[in-house]
């Protein structure tokens, strides 16, 4: 697990840092999508910063004390919620941009609106993370083995556990999943009805976004649901079941971590605007000449010539 965490940390750090550099120095956060992508990259980066601590914990034990346990556990959870809710906001934004194109393009304060939405997402995520901050502590689970975990009150422990698990499943998976399915289904229908538009690539990206989300997030939430049902039924688990559940949590949670490495690829790297900005980064860093830059730059018009009503949305909100 420490090696696995290290690989995710390095790859996710490179991808999301590149996204931030692009939007800060080249795109300048001009559109609603830019704001959402920047917010998603920040959430992923802050989440990735907790992985070195978990790598040390997996290798030996938790050596950072209770205060650091509260900070790291809370940072992990708040960025989980903010990342998942931002993905839901991105799907709604794309729905507005493509299906409700006229309405969204007539809005003068769309960028300010997206900033307010992102602030609301972070505030909501922080509120939901308060149980983790309050209950997390460095706990001696086994002889000479300290772990960072949530220590629940003895009298109402099962109620608190169920509440935390249900909140994590609903906010961290169900709401984003349902939102993505509804929005992207309508978007796909709209693209299929459009004429004179290279829609096949856009549809493939939509399918990839949903499939990757399900593959990465569904297994962990299934395990979490099984554990929640067992607590609700007040069933005693055997030592073998508890051990298998711990292994299942480790494996499925690791799969979920991979999602933060794939977000830059699915949401940013495939867009024409980002590829052009990336070429400019290479030119400014001396890896590419001005002549090579001019030869490789692609305009949105050259890449695709969308149908009427979808042109602006596909340029500003790349699928």
């Amino acid at each position: 697990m420490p090696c696995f965490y290290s690989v995710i940390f390095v790859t996710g750090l490179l991808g999301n840092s590149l996204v931030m550099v692009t939007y800060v120095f080249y795109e300048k956060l001009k559109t609603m999508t830019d704001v959402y992508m920047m917010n998603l990259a920040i959430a992923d980066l802050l989440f990735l910063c907790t992985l070195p601590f978990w790598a040390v914990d997996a290798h030996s034990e938790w050596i950072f004390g209770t205060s650091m346990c509260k900070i790291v556990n809370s940072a992990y959870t708040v960025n989980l919620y903010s990342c998942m809710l931002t993905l839901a906001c991105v799907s709604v934004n794309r729905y507005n941009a493509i299906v409700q194109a006229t309405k969204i393009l007539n809005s003068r304060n769309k960028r300010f609106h997206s900033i307010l939405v992102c602030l609301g997402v972070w505030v909501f995520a922080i509120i939901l993370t308060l149980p983790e901050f309050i209950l997390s502590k460095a706990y001696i689970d086994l002889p000479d083995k300290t772990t960072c975990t949530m220590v629940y009150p003895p009298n109402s422990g099962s109620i608190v556990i169920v509440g935390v698990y249900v909140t994590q499943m609903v906010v961290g998976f169900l709401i984003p999943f349902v939102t993505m399915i509804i929005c992207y289904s309508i978007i796909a229908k709209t693209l299929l009805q459009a004429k004179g538009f290279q829609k096949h690539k856009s549809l493939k990206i939509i399918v990839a976004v949903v499939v990757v989300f399900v593959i990465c997030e569904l297994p962990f939430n299934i395990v979490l649901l099984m554990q929640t049902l067992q607590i609700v039924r007040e069933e005693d688990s055997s030592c073998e079941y508890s051990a298998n559940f711990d292994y299942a949590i480790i494996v499925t949670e690791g799969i979920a971590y991979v999602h933060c490495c794939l977000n830059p690829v699915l949401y940013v790297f495939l867009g024409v605007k980002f590829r052009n900005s990336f070429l400019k980064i290479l030119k400014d860093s001396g890896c590419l000449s001005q002549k090579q830059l001019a030869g490789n730059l692609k305009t949105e018009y050259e890449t695709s010539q969308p149908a009427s009503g979808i042109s602006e949305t596909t340029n500003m909100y790349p699928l």
Side-chain angles (χ1 to χ4, degrees):
M1 296 311 296
C3 295
F4 184 66
Y5 291 159
S6 300
V7 171
I8 295 176
F9 174 74
V10 173
T11 55
L13 190 65
L14 289 174
N16 288 285
S17 298
L18 190 57
V19 171
M20 290 190 64
V21 169
T22 300
Y23 282 121
V24 171
F25 296 103
Y26 293 89
E27 296 299 333
K28 306 296 184 181
L29 300 179
K30 299 174 184 175
T31 68
M32 293 182 69
T33 296
D34 293 346
V35 175
Y36 286 128
M37 293 299 101
M38 184 70 172
N39 191 73
L40 184 61
I42 292 173
D44 283 339
L45 281 173
L46 292 177
F47 167 77
L48 288 165
C49 289
T50 66
L51 291 184
F53 295 94
W54 299 124
V56 173
D57 179 58
H59 179 265
S60 55
E61 63 175 347
W62 186 262
I63 60 174
F64 306 103
T66 294
S67 297
M68 205 63 193
C69 174
K70 290 180 178 292
I71 295 173
V72 172
N73 214 9
S74 300
Y76 163 82
T77 307
V78 73
N79 289 292
L80 168 69
Y81 287 139
S82 60
C83 179
M84 293 297 104
L85 291 173
T86 300
L87 291 179
C89 292
V90 169
S91 61
V92 173
N93 180 47
R94 287 177 169 176
Y95 166 82
N96 288 330
I98 295 175
V99 180
Q100 304 289 338
T102 304
K103 178 180 177 181
I104 192 68
L105 292 175
N106 287 338
S107 175
R108 297 180 179 178
N109 300 316
K110 51 183 179 289
R111 192 169 72 95
F112 180 70
H113 174 264
S114 62
I115 293 174
L116 289 180
V117 170
C118 290
L119 287 176
V121 165
W122 281 100
V123 171
F124 185 54
I126 291 172
I127 293 173
L128 293 179
T129 308
L130 288 178
E132 274 79 3
F133 181 79
I134 296 172
L135 300 176
S136 294
K137 65 179 296 186
Y139 178 74
I140 301 178
D141 191 19
L142 297 171
D144 300 326
K145 176 75 172 180
T146 304
T147 60
C148 174
T149 185
M150 293 179 66
V151 180
Y152 298 96
N155 297 328
S156 57
S158 60
I159 299 176
V160 177
I161 295 174
V162 170
V164 171
Y165 284 177
V166 169
T167 302
Q168 188 166 343
M169 286 185 291
V170 172
V171 180
F173 177 77
L174 190 60
I175 291 177
F177 177 67
V178 172
T179 304
M180 289 171 68
I181 290 295
I182 294 174
C183 291
Y184 286 133
S185 296
I186 300 174
I187 290 173
K189 180 181 178 182
T190 303
L191 293 178
L192 286 172
Q193 294 173 347
K195 296 180 180 180
F197 173 58
Q198 297 178 1
K199 51 198 164 189
H200 299 293
K201 182 180 178 181
S202 297
L203 293 174
K204 288 179 181 178
I205 295 175
I206 288 174
V207 172
V209 166
V210 176
V211 169
V212 167
F213 181 85
V214 171
I215 291 176
C216 291
E217 303 296 337
L218 183 59
F220 175 69
N221 283 274
I222 290 176
V223 175
L224 213 58
L225 178 61
M226 292 172 59
Q227 181 70 359
T228 304
L229 293 175
Q230 186 186 33
I231 295 173
V232 171
R233 295 171 182 170
E234 297 182 349
E235 296 177 356
D236 294 329
S237 58
S238 63
C239 291
E240 182 181 3
Y241 178 87
S242 298
N244 290 336
F245 174 77
D246 290 339
Y247 283 125
I249 285 289
I250 291 173
V251 173
T252 56
E253 202 169 32
I255 295 172
Y257 291 169
V258 177
H259 201 192
C260 63
C261 302
L262 299 177
N263 281 335
V265 177
L266 292 170
Y267 289 91
V268 181
F269 290 2
L270 296 177
V272 175
K273 285 173 56 179
F274 179 83
R275 290 199 298 272
N276 290 344
S277 297
F278 179 66
L279 290 173
K280 293 176 184 177
I281 293 175
L282 294 179
K283 183 259 181 184
D284 292 341
S285 61
C287 299
L288 206 66
S289 67
Q290 180 65 39
K291 184 177 180 181
Q292 290 173 319
L293 174 66
N296 285 283
L297 279 178
K298 295 182 179 180
T299 65
E300 287 84 354
Y301 179 79
E302 292 172 344
T303 304
S304 61
Q305 298 182 24
S308 176
I310 303 183
S311 174
E312 181 72 12
T313 59
T314 51
N315 290 339
M316 293 177 60
Y317 307 86
L319 290 173

